[in-house]
Amino acid sequence: MADRKHGVPAPPIETTIHADDWDRTEIAGETFHRVLFQGVDLTELVDQGASFEECTFRNVRLNVSTHEDARFLNCLFSRCSLFDATFRGCKLTGSMFDGCTFGLLKIDGGDWSYTGLPGADLRGSAFHGVRLREADLTGARLAGAELRRADLSGAWLHGADLTGCDLRGSDLSTLDPHTVTLKKAVIDPFQATVIAEALGLEVRS
């Protein structure tokens, strides 16, 4: 798929689901391909293993929704609300979030590689054990968030605010401490060595 982080258009649409077309509170194992969800209320939706491929979510409310082993591949989320949404073991590779609101977002495991979250306000969110390889977190606000045991190799973090962020156990091998805000961030001893070396310091025992 082409990289939408650089302005490439959203996925093509073959089917549209409007707010009046949706009355389900639970889905399990269903498949959606190139579907536009327009203004749909998915608040408190329970999603067990559904698959969304090249779908567009526009002005969709996903507040307090729960997604388990679901797949959102190369999807676009535009002006959606994900307050207190939970994703466990989900795969969102290649998906893009544009103008969305989050707040208390919880992600436990899964693969969010190549996901676009530029400028996202993720303060207070929790990412535990998730793969974020080459994810676009440029300018993301992660103050007070948790990025525990996350694979951030190759992630774009330029301009990100990591003030007070708990980063313990995460891969910071490609983090440039000169381009992010790290004030009061929580790190482990190994990460301290990685960051010190990135700052040009020589670590000795």
Side-chain angles (χ1 to χ4, degrees):
M1 176 181 175
D3 188 351
R4 289 197 304 281
K5 289 180 285 191
H6 299 288
V8 178
I13 295 168
E14 297 179 356
T15 307
T16 299
I17 295 178
H18 295 282
D20 294 341
D21 302 326
W22 188 275
D23 59 2
R24 286 172 284 180
T25 58
E26 296 185 13
I27 55 175
E30 297 185 45
T31 300
F32 302 88
H33 181 245
R34 293 184 174 178
V35 176
L36 166 62
F37 293 83
Q38 177 67 53
V40 179
D41 187 356
L42 302 181
T43 299
E44 297 186 354
L45 174 73
V46 177
D47 168 11
Q48 292 283 344
S51 177
F52 302 85
E53 186 173 353
E54 295 188 6
C55 291
T56 298
F57 298 82
R58 188 175 298 150
N59 296 313
V60 171
R61 293 180 293 281
L62 289 147
N63 303 322
V64 205
S65 59
T66 302
H67 308 269
E68 189 109 22
D69 299 322
R71 292 156 48 95
F72 296 84
L73 305 181
N74 300 320
C75 292
L76 172 64
F77 295 81
S78 178
R79 301 189 180 282
C80 296
S81 174
L82 295 96
F83 176 76
D84 203 16
T86 300
F87 294 83
R88 298 190 187 96
C90 296
K91 187 171 185 177
L92 281 89
T93 51
S95 289
M96 176 74 180
F97 294 82
D98 178 35
C100 297
T101 56
F102 300 92
L104 303 181
L105 177 68
K106 301 176 184 68
I107 301 171
D108 186 6
D111 190 351
W112 288 54
S113 299
Y114 311 104
T115 299
L117 289 156
D121 187 350
L122 296 165
R123 290 176 292 181
S125 296
F127 294 75
H128 292 170
V130 60
R131 178 176 292 182
L132 285 160
R133 289 186 178 181
E134 297 191 43
D136 186 358
L137 291 163
T138 305
R141 288 178 282 174
L142 288 151
E146 295 181 8
L147 274 170
R148 300 288 308 274
R149 306 181 311 281
D151 183 355
L152 292 164
S153 56
W156 302 2
L157 287 161
H158 186 89
D161 182 3
L162 300 170
T163 301
C165 184
D166 190 344
L167 297 164
R168 287 175 293 173
S170 293
D171 182 349
L172 303 181
S173 58
T174 56
L175 173 72
D176 183 351
H178 296 98
T179 65
V180 299
T181 302
L182 282 169
K183 184 178 180 180
K184 295 185 178 179
V186 181
I187 57 176
D188 58 41
F190 176 77
Q191 292 170 322
T193 300
V194 171
I195 292 175
E197 292 177 345
L199 289 168
L201 304 177
E202 186 174 334
V203 180
R204 297 181 181 179
S205 59

